[in-house]
Amino acid sequence: MKKEEDVELLSIDGREVRVTHPQKLYFEKQVKLSKLDLVRYYLAIAPGALAGIRDRPIVLKRFVNGAEGEAFYQKRAPSERPSWLRTITLSFPSGRTAEEVVVDDAAGLVWIANLGCIELHPHAVRSGDLDHPDELRIDLDPGPGVTWADVRQVALEVKAVLDDAGLRGWPKTSGSRGMHINVRIAQRWSFTEVRRAALALSREVERRVPALASSKWWKEERHGVFLDYNQNAKDRTTASAYSVRPLPDARVSAPLEWSEVAECEPGDFTVFTMPQRFADIGDPHAGMDAEAGLLDGLLELAARDEAEGLGDAPWPPHFRKMEGEAPRVAPSRAKTAAKKTAVSKAPKEPRSKMPLITIANSRKEEMALDGLERWKSKYPEAAALLAVDDVLVDRMRGSSSIWFRIRVNLRHVPEELRPAQETPDPDDDPTRAWREDRGAKTDESAPDQ
């Protein structure tokens, strides 16, 4: 390893990788972590991290100004890249294509870390077959105020449903507030079929623990832990095992044994603790590729749901309308049903709307949450009547960046006490200029991962 000016040259398995600005701080609010520290972390756990991304196209989520800066997504591989780095062309629901990076070794892992890729976001397919996923992804996303104990309990219920379906799940902390459970599957089902299986699983978990789990796509209808079945739609990615997450303590997405789930704490797994854990116990998910299962049991469950009248659930907003899908509009914005002209039938009543108001829009989640606290201080009577799931923290995804919107559902607040919609504080909505230019309305659909 030799240093030239502001570049660190690393020799990794015979390949030379340049780390530019190695001492640039990527974390500095709570812990101090440089770009080179991040690179050394990924080298220390490379076999585990590579098991989750090898032979898969990967979206580059780049934090060029560090974890506290704004991130952007880059699907297309940079034009300037090493000759030994593989790429593959993917097609998307929009009809567009992109040549994406495929990382197969530690040198490639370091190369994307140097681009500012704190997180790793692989697709659920292998490069040899881009139309048939080899992984069912179960994303447990807790709503505001939901406890980690509830997340763990829902995860164990997911395990029970998978056991009944003859599948093995591999749990890991998301590295944030939730948990992921991945299931290796045979490559014989399309994205649509895998998503259908995930939806059936989500609904079954909700039936078993209705007070804790929700399969509802629209945030205003959710409670507890949301099982995000749409993470299995084509073009969706999630943070893979050992990914560092942009939180102040530099925690990571930690693979677990099922025996650890009931007692684990997500804050225990960080850039500082994971290398030693990996050295001591290895990768708890090392046997995953040998456990490819069949989706027959979950697809039978889906068929039963459909026979009982449960149709398809909403897809992400950028997908075309699917057969059997209900109207893709949030309940709070549903239009009044058209009146029938037949004199024998009375006009339908308007569908009731949730009394939602927007509190804050910001590129920074912490700034949006500060705005919520200011609103609560301004309207203490209304704030005291809110249920945990009345506060909706939307993680919105634009074309290349993310931002945060906070809304409040005033359904439990008497009308005479309901604050009116005011200018959000803060009000940094990066899509406003685009919408004003086109006269469009804000997309109220559920946000991305």
Side-chain angles (χ1 to χ4, degrees), residues 251-264:
R251 66 181 59 178
V252 306
S253 180
L256 303 169
E257 300 283 359
W258 277 112
S259 59
E260 298 179 286
V261 169
E263 301 294 334
C264 73

Side-chain angles (χ1 to χ4, degrees), residues 181-291:
I181 301 163
N182 294 338
V183 181
R184 185 68 74 242
I185 58 174
Q187 290 180 275
R188 63 175 65 173
W189 292 278
S190 67
F191 279 96
T192 300
E193 291 170 314
V194 175
R195 176 189 173 279
R196 181 169 171 250
L199 175 59
L201 180 142
S202 300
R203 287 170 167 170
E204 178 62 17
V205 173
E206 183 177 25
R207 282 190 288 265
R208 294 189 183 194
V209 284
L212 296 179
S214 173
S215 65
K216 304 295 187 297
W217 175 248
W218 302 110
K219 283 198 170 185
E220 60 207 50
E221 293 186 317
R222 294 182 199 166
H223 63 275
V225 179
F226 171 50
L227 290 93
D228 190 354
Y229 57 89
N230 269 332
Q231 293 291 17
N232 295 276
K234 189 175 184 179
D235 191 26
R236 305 287 276 200
T237 64
T238 56
S240 61
Y242 299 97
S243 285
V244 182
R245 305 307 300 272
L247 295 180
D249 58 355
R251 66 181 59 178
V252 306
S253 180
L256 303 169
E257 300 283 359
W258 277 112
S259 59
E260 298 179 286
V261 169
E263 301 294 334
C264 73
E265 292 293 338
D268 291 342
F269 308 107
T270 71
V271 167
F272 306 100
T273 64
M274 186 57 73
Q276 188 60 54
R277 171 181 164 89
F278 189 83
D280 291 342
I281 70 170
D283 181 11
H285 290 188
M288 191 174 183
D289 285 342
E291 297 279 349

Side-chain angles (χ1 to χ4, degrees), residues 21-308:
H21 307 293
Q23 300 309 318
K24 180 177 181 178
L25 286 178
Y26 268 19
F27 291 80
E28 53 184 323
K29 285 190 176 179
Q30 182 175 322
V31 299
K32 302 295 183 183
L33 202 68
S34 69
K35 180 194 281 192
L36 188 58
D37 292 330
L38 179 72
V39 164
R40 287 169 173 160
Y41 161 77
Y42 274 122
L43 285 174
I45 50 80
L50 289 169
I53 66 174
R54 183 183 287 113
D55 197 32
R56 301 181 186 277
I58 189 168
V59 173
L60 305 177
K61 185 178 180 182
R62 300 179 61 182
F63 295 80
V64 295
N65 294 314
E68 286 91 24
E70 183 180 354
F72 65 92
Y73 291 88
Q74 180 177 337
K75 290 182 178 179
R76 288 168 175 78
S79 56
E80 295 185 8
R81 57 182 185 269
S83 60
W84 44 261
L85 190 69
R86 211 161 42 108
T87 62
I88 194 164
T89 300
L90 274 73
S91 61
F92 303 110
S94 64
R96 297 181 179 180
T97 62
E99 187 180 13
E100 294 195 9
V101 168
V102 179
V103 174
D104 292 316
D105 53 30
L109 185 59
V110 170
W111 187 82
I112 63 171
N114 180 60
L115 294 180
C117 294
I118 293 175
E119 300 180 333
L120 308 175
H121 279 263
H123 289 269
V125 292
R126 303 281 186 170
S127 64
D129 186 348
L130 300 177
D131 295 319
H132 298 91
D134 74 329
E135 194 165 82
L136 171 72
R137 295 175 172 179
I138 303 159
D139 183 1
L140 305 185
D141 182 10
V146 176
T147 68
W148 177 245
D150 288 344
V151 175
R152 293 184 300 198
Q153 189 170 343
V154 172
L156 293 172
E157 199 62 48
V158 169
K159 180 182 184 300
V161 174
L162 291 173
D163 288 345
D164 290 345
L167 293 167
R168 178 171 178 179
W170 302 79
K172 65 185 183 72
T173 65
S174 71
S176 183
R177 299 180 58 244
M179 189 171 287
H180 298 157
I181 301 163
N182 294 338
V183 181
R184 185 68 74 242
I185 58 174
Q187 290 180 275
R188 63 175 65 173
W189 292 278
S190 67
F191 279 96
T192 300
E193 291 170 314
V194 175
R195 176 189 173 279
R196 181 169 171 250
L199 175 59
L201 180 142
S202 300
R203 287 170 167 170
E204 178 62 17
V205 173
E206 183 177 25
R207 282 190 288 265
R208 294 189 183 194
V209 284
L212 296 179
S214 173
S215 65
K216 304 295 187 297
W217 175 248
W218 302 110
K219 283 198 170 185
E220 60 207 50
E221 293 186 317
R222 294 182 199 166
H223 63 275
V225 179
F226 171 50
L227 290 93
D228 190 354
Y229 57 89
N230 269 332
Q231 293 291 17
N232 295 276
K234 189 175 184 179
D235 191 26
R236 305 287 276 200
T237 64
T238 56
S240 61
Y242 299 97
S243 285
V244 182
R245 305 307 300 272
L247 295 180
D249 58 355
R251 66 181 59 178
V252 306
S253 180
L256 303 169
E257 300 283 359
W258 277 112
S259 59
E260 298 179 286
V261 169
E263 301 294 334
C264 73
E265 292 293 338
D268 291 342
F269 308 107
T270 71
V271 167
F272 306 100
T273 64
M274 186 57 73
Q276 188 60 54
R277 171 181 164 89
F278 189 83
D280 291 342
I281 70 170
D283 181 11
H285 290 188
M288 191 174 183
D289 285 342
E291 297 279 349
L294 304 178
L295 290 180
D296 296 351
L298 290 181
L299 293 175
E300 289 175 6
L301 190 59
R304 188 192 73 186
D305 286 346
E306 291 156 8
E308 294 177 356

